[in-house]
Amino acid sequence: MLATYLIGLREGLEAGLVVGILVAYLAKLGRRDLLGRLWIGIGLAIAVALGIGALLTWGPYAMTFQAQEILGGVLSIIAVAMVTWMTFWMGTHGAALSKELRSSVDAAIDRSWFALVVLGAVAVGREGIETALFVWANAAGGSDPLFATLGAVLGILTAVVISWGISRGLVRFNLGRFFTWTGLFLIFVAAGVLAYGVGDLQEASVIPGWGTSAYSLVAIVPPGSWYGTVLAGIFNFTPEPTWAQVFAWVAYVAITVPLYLLMLRRRSLARAAAVPPAAAVAPAPAAGAPAAAVPVAPGPGTARTEPAAVDAT
């Protein structure tokens, strides 16, 4: 439930930021009359995400066992690919997200009335489909489907409240740090989903090696223990993985984590390079000369006239 809650919270905040930028820009342009089209697109995106979730939940029951396992394995791998891509995309494009969305709005207004509907659907639908796939894959890997779905819904509702609070200036926190740490957490969640997907493909005889465990941790982490249930629900942990599952998990983490940390380092260096160097200390004024104005940092009682920029990465 914790994993799906964080998935819903993160993806919901991403969607909330996108919607907030689009709505604020239309208001700034004085085109509130176009908000209805935008909300139609957002509603379509939500409906598609819910439809995909329902199809994944009830659709496979009419399939054979082998077909279900193949579908589960393939969709788990697709979900991992989507989450990984979105994590890196937000890390590299988040700072320019507002500019890109505003440009998209300008282009949509110049085209046709339906273009804004499509923009709203695409902007939010990406997070919605990704959430539906990843929540389903996480639940199929061992979490109780009801609790997994409940966790995702609570995460999305929390994101809606936070997004509303941010838009009203009632909530302020470091979004960049939030996305950084949840991105790292989701990498390990995705590694477990990938291992689960490989196991599904092995059960369907698409990948050989099913039934031969690489090692056994049953004595340390019994499947029925509370901590075994927690690990299985969050990270799709299994105490007796196959060699293919171990290889997939280790390879994914060994490749993705260093690349993610390298991306964070490059982003940090780029920000540091963009900060103007501190002004040199001016020499003391001559006797009788007027003192130069010294900029004073705003104190607790000083009002700020310029709103702080929100880092969405």
Side-chain angles (χ1 to χ4, degrees):
M1 185 173 178
L2 175 60
T4 55
Y5 175 82
L6 288 177
I7 292 168
L9 178 60
R10 178 186 169 90
E11 301 301 326
L13 278 177
E14 289 180 8
L17 288 174
V18 169
V19 171
I21 291 171
L22 294 175
V23 171
Y25 187 56
L26 284 175
K28 182 179 179 181
L29 293 176
R31 297 303 306 270
R32 290 183 177 273
D33 57 303
L34 300 178
L35 287 176
R37 304 177 190 178
L38 180 64
W39 287 115
I40 290 174
I42 293 172
L44 289 175
I46 295 173
V48 169
L50 292 175
I52 290 176
L55 182 63
L56 292 174
T57 302
W58 292 290
Y61 286 112
M63 304 170 65
T64 65
F65 174 77
Q66 184 179 28
Q68 288 184 31
E69 295 303 297
I70 293 175
L71 178 64
V74 171
L75 289 180
S76 294
I77 294 173
I78 292 175
V80 170
M82 289 184 66
V83 168
T84 305
W85 174 80
M86 196 60 188
T87 299
F88 280 89
W89 188 90
M90 280 295 293
T92 54
H93 292 79
L97 180 62
S98 180
K99 182 179 179 181
E100 293 178 7
L101 288 173
R102 290 196 299 268
S103 299
S104 299
V105 170
D106 291 334
I109 292 175
D110 293 337
R111 288 183 193 142
S112 66
W113 71 271
F114 190 68
L116 200 57
V117 175
V118 173
L119 175 62
V122 172
V124 177
R126 181 173 52 189
E127 278 79 13
I129 295 173
E130 179 183 338
T131 303
L133 273 174
F134 206 54
V135 168
W136 174 84
N138 187 271
S143 299
D144 183 281
L146 177 61
F147 282 105
T149 304
L150 180 61
V153 171
L154 290 176
I156 293 172
L157 292 177
T158 304
V160 170
V161 173
I162 292 176
S163 298
W164 179 84
I166 291 175
S167 67
R168 294 294 186 271
L170 303 176
V171 177
R172 292 191 180 186
F173 68 99
N174 193 322
L175 283 172
R177 186 170 299 172
F178 170 81
F179 283 121
T180 295
W181 287 108
T182 55
L184 188 61
F185 174 81
L186 286 182
I187 286 176
F188 288 95
V189 174
V193 172
L194 177 62
Y196 170 78
V198 170
D200 270 356
L201 294 177
Q202 286 185 295
E203 282 194 271
S205 300
V206 176
I207 299 176
W210 181 251
T212 304
S213 302
Y215 52 81
S216 178
L217 297 177
V218 173
I220 302 175
V221 187
S225 62
W226 67 267
Y227 48 92
T229 304
V230 170
L231 289 174
I234 298 176
F235 300 107
N236 280 276
F237 171 82
T238 175
E240 294 182 323
T242 65
W243 281 109
Q245 289 178 304
V246 172
F247 175 79
W249 193 96
V250 172
Y252 177 83
V253 171
I255 294 173
T256 308
V257 170
L259 289 177
Y260 186 73
L261 296 178
L262 179 61
M263 178 197 69
L264 295 179
R265 176 172 174 78
R266 287 179 175 176
R267 193 177 70 190
S268 178
L269 293 175
R271 288 176 180 169
V275 175
V281 179
V294 179
V296 179
T302 306
R304 294 187 57 153
T305 58
E306 184 68 21
V310 177
D311 183 2
T313 60

